[in-house]
Amino acid sequence: MTKKTNLLGSLKSDFPSGLVVFLVALPLCLGIALASGAPPLSGIIAGIIGGIVIGAISNSHISVSGPAAGLISIVLTAVATLGSFEAFLLAVFLAGIIQLVLGFLKAGSISNYFPSNVIEGMLAGIGVIIIINQLEHAVGYDKGNEGDESLLRHDGGNFFSDIPDIISRFEGGAVIISIVSLAILVLWDKIPALKRLKILPGALVAVVAGIVINQLFISTGSHLALENAHLVTLPVATSFADVQSFVIMPDFSAISNTQVWITAVTIAVVASIETLLCIEASDRMDVQKRYTNTNNELRAQGIGNILSGLIGGLPITSVVVRSSANANSGARTKMSTIIHGSLLLVCVLAIPLVLNMIPLATLAAVLLLVGYKLANPAKLKHFWDKGKYQFIPFIATLIAVVATDLLKGVALGMIISIIFVLRGNLKRAYNFRKEEYAAGDIIHIDLAQEVSFLNKAAIKSTLNDLPENSEVVVDASDTVYIAHDVLDLIQEFRDIKAIEMNIKVKLVGFKKAYELQNTDTSKVFVEHKEKNNKTEN
């Protein structure tokens, strides 16, 4: 049972976060379109659909959808192979239909098998990449890589290979704007009086400050003034005819082309995997610990890609960078995502000239703060303290994501996690008992000797379906190992969802199970439960 969310009840938090995501998404949408060899507005169209349409259909409250850097190479290759952007749009349309079918076939359930240390490693790796890549923009080296979300760029270069050029093309004005913007963003979170002004987010103040500073440089004829290459660049429509000319329709005559279908399947598979990874990460960033129906999410993504292909947009996925910016800005519901998409639509049509005055250095400052929160050094210590079986997959995923790309990094982390599970549990079986129940019944969930992250899906499903006003006993008396993912799941259920649904939770035998594991976290977990009089041993 899921508690219904009032979308208009959290506007005080959702509007500022939607504004922040809009400021982050704008250059990313344009940069990804340019890096993909597509029309600049195709990225904006995808961002608008990802925000308004997918945001409205999806039941994820934190994730934000739009064009993704992970698909850049696919788009580049496909457009060249198919011979026209119109034929490529047909492939995007067909990919959306395939995703819709996958959603109805309930393929989204595979996301339950992504372990939390791998997801956290992916997020930390993305944070490192953001910091490294945005440092270039912070000092005015705007080479047009806004769409890159990997260390090794699609042009073959990287931050380190650019260092000689960065030094020779150092822009003093960009550095000043970056420093002022970062100071505003940090102070906005630190000073209580400013922090209370939630309706006026620090990112908006930083953007306004960046515009004002650069305009002062221009008006005084200073050599610090930034040229157009260092500002946001949007196409400007002067009439309705211009707007119509921006919309490109797919070429349905190419439907018999085998390459179109191959491209469609490729986009559908890669976009679906990236989306499921992001959804799992977004659910972990949600302070209210709500679970997203991943099958519904695949259907929402499918509808979004069908529409995007029909009106000239790039393929869409749920995106980590925008989702993390959304979560870190205090979003409470999916209204934040819808607001970001609406702002993209309104501002692109109404005030492109104002948007084209925003320095990329200011947006770099916003993303640098997002990157730091994702790759906070405290995460490294957190997983180190959990032991080698948690730390090694985490750090391997982080390094691989930075060195290669998101999918390869997660694949490596998954392989290492599975090896660890198989190594210690080849001879252990998992037994899960589930009985018929109704409101008011006492429900017994008996954990077996071995409970790994592979069992998370079944336990999550059972906990999520428990009726209100009931009592559940989770018994770990016979358990000698329980994965941290399952521990976190049970703890979050007990502390948040169970309270909301008036479910009494009784935990039995957990102290014994963790003493057998000899982990530090067991002490914290057990002591916390004993403090709340909810654990029996």
Side-chain angles (χ1 to χ4, degrees):
M1 296 185 181
T2 305
K3 191 175 179 181
K4 195 168 182 180
T5 303
N6 180 8
L7 293 181
L8 298 178
S10 302
L11 275 178
K12 197 171 182 181
S13 298
D14 289 337
F15 184 80
S17 55
L19 184 58
V20 170
V21 178
F22 157 70
L23 294 172
V24 170
L26 181 64
L28 288 175
C29 289
L30 289 168
I32 289 169
L34 292 171
S36 301
L41 205 66
S42 63
I44 299 292
I45 290 171
I48 292 169
I49 293 172
I52 299 175
V53 178
I54 296 178
I57 302 172
S58 168
N59 69 339
S60 173
H61 294 282
I62 298 299
S63 73
V64 182
S65 296
L71 296 175
I72 288 176
S73 57
I74 294 174
V75 177
L76 272 171
T77 304
V79 172
T81 303
L82 299 175
S84 72
F85 187 66
E86 289 79 4
F88 170 73
L89 291 177
L90 176 60
V92 176
F93 172 81
L94 295 172
I97 294 176
I98 294 170
Q99 283 187 298
L100 199 57
V101 172
L102 289 174
F104 284 114
L105 292 176
K106 298 186 177 180
S109 58
I110 64 168
S111 67
N112 289 310
Y113 302 104
F114 300 141
S116 62
N117 52 357
V118 172
I119 297 298
E120 292 291 350
M122 176 191 77
L123 290 173
I126 291 289
V128 171
I129 291 167
I130 290 172
I131 292 170
I132 292 174
N133 284 343
Q134 292 305 315
L135 282 173
E136 296 186 353
H137 297 295
V139 298
Y141 182 68
D142 302 307
K143 197 177 177 181
N145 302 314
E146 295 90 344
D148 281 305
E149 292 174 18
S150 60
L151 184 61
L152 302 176
R153 296 196 310 266
H154 293 86
D155 63 2
N158 58 66
F159 171 80
F160 302 104
S161 66
D162 287 340
I163 289 177
D165 280 347
I166 293 172
I167 295 172
S168 64
R169 292 165 59 181
F170 196 85
E171 291 283 344
V175 175
I176 292 171
I177 290 172
S178 296
I179 292 172
V180 171
S181 299
L182 273 173
I184 291 171
L185 291 167
V186 172
L187 290 174
W188 216 259
D189 282 339
K190 297 291 184 185
I191 300 177
L194 296 176
K195 200 173 181 180
R196 285 195 289 270
L197 296 173
K198 284 189 176 289
I199 198 66
L200 188 64
L204 177 60
V205 178
V207 166
V208 172
I211 293 174
V212 170
I213 292 171
N214 193 47
Q215 290 304 308
L216 284 174
F217 289 156
I218 293 172
S219 62
T220 57
S222 171
H223 69 282
L224 295 173
L226 298 178
E227 299 175 355
N228 290 339
H230 305 294
L231 308 175
V232 169
T233 305
L234 273 179
V236 179
T238 57
S239 66
F240 183 70
D242 287 343
V243 176
Q244 286 181 307
S245 69
F246 293 153
V247 177
I248 304 172
M249 303 291 286
D251 179 13
F252 284 98
S253 66
I255 198 160
S256 60
N257 187 338
T258 306
Q259 287 299 322
V260 168
W261 285 95
I262 292 173
T263 302
V265 171
T266 304
I267 292 172
V269 171
V270 175
S272 296
I273 292 173
E274 289 209 10
T275 290
L276 294 176
L277 286 168
C278 181
I279 289 297
E280 189 69 14
S282 298
D283 283 354
R284 293 196 64 78
M285 291 186 283
D286 183 1
V287 294
Q288 297 181 47
K289 300 303 175 187
R290 292 162 291 191
Y291 303 138
T292 299
N293 184 324
T294 49
N295 297 312
N296 181 72
E297 185 64 29
L298 283 183
R299 293 193 289 270
Q301 294 288 332
I303 292 170
N305 276 314
I306 288 171
L307 290 175
S308 189
L310 282 174
I311 61 174
L314 289 176
I316 301 170
T317 76
S318 184
V319 189
V320 174
V321 176
R322 274 155 271 190
S323 300
S324 56
N326 194 35
N328 290 327
S329 302
R332 290 292 177 268
T333 74
K334 61 184 181 180
M335 181 57 73
S336 172
T337 302
I338 297 170
I339 287 169
H340 122 270
S342 302
L343 287 173
L344 278 174
L345 176 62
V346 171
C347 292
V348 166
L349 293 176
I351 55 169
L353 291 175
V354 175
L355 296 178
N356 286 344
M357 296 167 65
I358 300 175
L360 293 175
T362 292
L363 300 178
V366 174
L367 284 169
L368 282 171
L369 208 59
V370 170
Y372 175 77
K373 289 179 179 179
L374 286 175
N376 193 316
K379 277 189 182 180
L380 209 65
K381 184 178 184 305
H382 171 72
F383 281 99
W384 177 265
D385 291 341
K386 281 191 171 186
K388 63 181 179 180
Y389 291 109
Q390 288 291 305
F391 180 75
I392 293 176
F394 166 79
I395 197 68
T397 304
L398 190 162
I399 294 170
V401 166
V402 174
T404 57
D405 58 44
L406 184 147
L407 292 181
K408 290 175 185 172
V410 170
L412 177 63
M414 287 289 294
I415 290 169
I416 294 173
S417 294
I418 291 170
I419 289 172
F420 283 164
V421 169
L422 294 177
R423 181 183 173 189
N425 308 297
L426 279 175
K427 297 182 180 179
R428 293 175 182 170
Y430 172 72
N431 299 307
F432 185 76
R433 181 164 62 90
K434 180 179 178 182
E435 299 176 348
E436 294 294 326
Y437 50 75
D441 286 353
I442 298 177
I443 303 145
H444 291 272
I445 299 175
D446 300 330
L447 302 183
Q449 276 192 326
E450 172 62 38
V451 185
S452 73
F453 71 85
L454 296 173
N455 307 121
K456 185 173 72 169
I459 296 174
K460 180 193 282 189
S461 176
T462 298
L463 293 176
N464 208 35
D465 291 337
L466 292 176
E468 294 182 358
N469 308 312
S470 58
E471 181 177 349
V472 60
V473 178
V474 184
D475 191 347
S477 300
D478 297 326
T479 305
V480 296
Y481 172 84
I482 184 168
H484 288 275
D485 283 19
V486 178
L487 167 63
D488 291 343
L489 178 67
I490 295 171
Q491 186 175 359
E492 289 166 3
F493 174 80
R494 183 206 60 203
D495 294 342
I496 300 174
K497 292 204 75 173
I499 294 172
E500 291 179 355
M501 299 172 68
N502 195 30
I503 296 174
K504 185 177 179 182
V505 180
K506 189 176 182 181
L507 300 169
V508 178
F510 280 83
K511 185 174 182 179
K512 174 187 171 185
Y514 283 107
E515 283 175 348
L516 288 171
Q517 278 183 241
N518 194 29
T519 61
D520 293 335
T521 44
S522 63
K523 186 179 177 184
V524 177
F525 184 71
V526 172
E527 285 179 353
H528 180 64
K529 289 174 179 51
E530 289 175 341
K531 194 180 291 183
N532 287 286
N533 297 318
K534 290 181 180 175
T535 304
E536 260 192 26
N537 292 283

